[in-house]
Amino acid sequence: MRAGGLLHGTADARLSGVVDRLEGFLGADPDLSFQVAAFHRGVSVLDAWGGPHMGEDSVIVPYSVTKNTIGIAVGLLVERGELDLDERVAHYWPEFGAKGKERVSVRQLLSHQAGLPQATPALGWDELLDDHAAAERLAASRPFWHPGSAFGYHAITIGNLGSELVFRVTGRTLQEFYEHEIRRPHGIDFFLGLPASEEHRRVGVLPMIQPVSDTSVRTFSALGPVVFRAPGRVVDSGNAPESWRFGHPATSGTGTARGVARLLAAAVTGVEGASPFLSADTVEQIGQQQIRGYDEVLHQNDRAHAIVFQKPSQQLAFGGPRAFGHDGAAGALACVDPDTGIAFAWTIARGPWPGGADPRAVALARELGTILT
């Protein structure tokens, strides 16, 4: 990095053009604050930050980027032979088989095909921020569509469903399994449940600002309001202490861009000379596209999922055909491409309107794969 520049950190010499562009973003918008990190085949090639709201070690909730932890945890259980993607969910979790769900496979459950983006009646935050309460109610609910006939984004419930499945296999919540088997052994600066000792590092997610010229109204399917408007008290999963202290695995993990990028790199390519903790075969299984097309919740026509992870699409073109990852509601993104060896993450304090992955991050993730390979 250039001394006295707006961007701080380190970058591979081949990324001088990227550094110039990031400096330009900061110069054009004095409020912009982000962290960006990338590994190439396990070697750190970009670790930078800038702006008034975030520093080198600031931790923030990147909303649904947190879902990467579910996918990687599931991958580790597949790797160990403890979980079969083609087995029925009810084999591991018998109560789940109620109300026509007895044949739902783990593969369908974890690729948003099970028809459970919300329970009936709808779940409130007190249940969602609980290790088992929401899962019990989801298990007792009839799906909104016949499982396998369609798919729709299980925005929050995928965390409760995935965590209960991990619990039934291991006897530990997803947070516990992630902490002891993934985060701590691999030195990952991304937490499911921010410890009190790390709270001094936390920065809040700032509200997006709608341009005056933008008078559009976002549309959802009939299911959208049911999924995104939990009854009872309103909880901002990015800023509410009860949320980030709990560490909901779908929406309120807390950490650095460096931490999320390291999570994906450690699993897929290995870091700092160590072997990846997932085999190439397991990576292929969890990263394989399971579904693509119309999303029953988001009312989007080109949405694609692997096992929990998002796949590249027209709206989210972050890598090649074997790439996978997840974006967040307020601009963040983390993804990995096994073909190029790039593991990438971007966290941001105030994302651009109207939300979803910051287009600057999407373009950069894809570009790194061409520059460094």
Side-chain angles (χ1 to χ4, degrees), residues 330-342:
L333 173 68
C335 53
V336 62
D337 192 329
D339 290 333
T340 64
I342 296 293

Side-chain angles (χ1 to χ4, degrees), residues 264-282:
L264 294 172
V268 176
T269 66
V271 291
E272 298 160 358
S275 298
F277 64 81
L278 299 181
S279 67
D281 182 68
T282 297

Side-chain angles (χ1 to χ4, degrees), residues 3 75 118 126 170 197 234 241 244 321 341 343 346 350 356 367:
Q118 182 55 282
D126 288 340
T170 68
S197 61
V234 176
W244 46 259
W346 170 278
R350 192 194 308 278
E367 183 181 356

Side-chain angles (χ1 to χ4, degrees), residues 145 219-227 294-300:
W145 58 81
T219 59
F220 291 99
S221 69
L223 268 175
V226 176
V227 172
Y294 177 73
D295 188 300
E296 294 283 344
V297 172
L298 296 179
H299 191 46
Q300 293 179 359

Side-chain angles (χ1 to χ4, degrees), residues 83-89 92 104-107 285 290:
L83 185 65
D84 183 344
L85 295 175
D86 291 314
E87 183 57 87
R88 296 173 302 110
V89 177
Y92 304 102
V104 176
S105 68
V106 172
R107 186 183 301 278
Q285 289 189 64
Q290 304 295 311

Side-chain angles (χ1 to χ4, degrees), residues 10-373:
T10 59
D12 186 285
R14 292 170 291 178
L15 300 182
S16 60
V18 169
V19 170
D20 289 342
R21 190 180 322 150
L22 294 172
E23 284 268 5
F25 293 155
L26 292 166
D29 182 0
D31 184 67
L32 176 63
S33 300
F34 63 82
Q35 296 172 337
V36 60
F39 290 82
H40 179 229
R41 307 201 186 283
V43 177
S44 176
V45 290
L46 181 62
D47 187 346
W49 62 93
H53 306 297
M54 299 183 77
E56 177 180 6
D57 294 317
S58 298
V59 296
I60 195 169
V61 172
Y63 292 102
S64 287
V65 165
T66 307
K67 290 181 174 70
N68 287 293
T69 64
I70 310 173
I72 296 299
V74 165
L76 187 54
L77 292 177
V78 170
E79 178 79 14
R80 294 175 175 177
E82 297 179 56
L83 185 65
D84 183 344
L85 295 175
D86 291 314
E87 183 57 87
R88 296 173 302 110
V89 177
H91 172 78
Y92 304 102
W93 177 5
E95 299 92 330
F96 184 86
K99 299 286 182 71
K101 302 191 299 299
E102 62 277 359
R103 294 189 180 88
V104 176
S105 68
V106 172
R107 186 183 301 278
Q108 289 173 320
L109 180 75
L110 296 178
S111 56
H112 304 269
Q113 298 183 66
L116 295 171
Q118 182 55 282
T120 306
L123 296 161
W125 278 104
D126 288 340
E127 295 167 298
L128 290 164
L129 297 177
D130 183 278
D131 287 329
H132 304 292
E136 290 172 3
R137 293 246 283 105
L138 288 161
S141 294
R142 189 173 299 280
F144 281 95
W145 58 81
H146 182 71
S149 68
F151 78 99
Y153 188 40
H154 291 43
I156 302 171
T157 60
I158 195 75
N160 302 89
L161 294 163
S163 185
E164 186 67 21
L165 183 61
V166 169
F167 176 78
R168 296 300 177 118
V169 173
T170 68
R172 291 184 282 183
T173 65
L174 197 147
Q175 290 95 328
E176 292 168 338
F177 181 79
Y178 170 78
E179 174 65 22
H180 294 286
E181 302 293 335
I182 298 174
R183 195 202 71 77
R184 196 180 298 173
H186 299 284
I188 294 164
D189 194 20
F190 190 80
F191 301 86
L192 291 183
L194 188 65
S197 61
E198 305 297 323
E199 288 187 10
H200 68 282
R201 301 167 56 199
R202 193 191 73 84
V203 297
V205 182
L206 301 174
M208 294 178 287
I209 299 173
Q210 182 174 3
V212 174
S213 59
D214 185 351
T215 58
S216 61
V217 177
R218 189 173 183 183
T219 59
F220 291 99
S221 69
L223 268 175
V226 176
V227 172
F228 292 109
R229 295 177 190 166
R233 66 192 181 99
V234 176
V235 172
D236 177 352
S237 58
N239 291 314
E242 64 265 42
S243 181
W244 46 259
R245 285 173 180 156
F246 174 71
H248 194 289
T251 188
S252 59
T254 313
T256 58
R258 181 189 308 119
V260 191
R262 187 181 180 91
L263 166 67
L264 294 172
V268 176
T269 66
V271 291
E272 298 160 358
S275 298
F277 64 81
L278 299 181
S279 67
D281 182 68
T282 297
V283 170
E284 288 176 355
Q285 289 189 64
I286 63 174
Q288 182 187 50
Q289 181 176 296
Q290 304 295 311
I291 197 77
R292 176 181 288 273
Y294 177 73
D295 188 300
E296 294 283 344
V297 172
L298 296 179
H299 191 46
Q300 293 179 359
N301 288 310
D302 182 34
R303 183 87 174 183
H305 289 281
I307 300 301
V308 181
F309 303 104
Q310 292 169 314
K311 293 290 290 182
S313 63
Q314 288 181 340
Q315 298 96 337
L316 201 61
F318 55 74
R322 294 209 307 137
F324 57 90
H326 219 289
D327 71 349
L333 173 68
C335 53
V336 62
D337 192 329
D339 290 333
T340 64
I342 296 293
F344 171 88
W346 170 278
T347 58
I348 186 168
R350 192 194 308 278
W353 184 265
D358 187 333
R360 294 169 292 198
V362 175
L364 178 55
R366 184 176 64 249
E367 183 181 356
L368 289 176
T370 63
I371 295 175
L372 299 173
T373 56

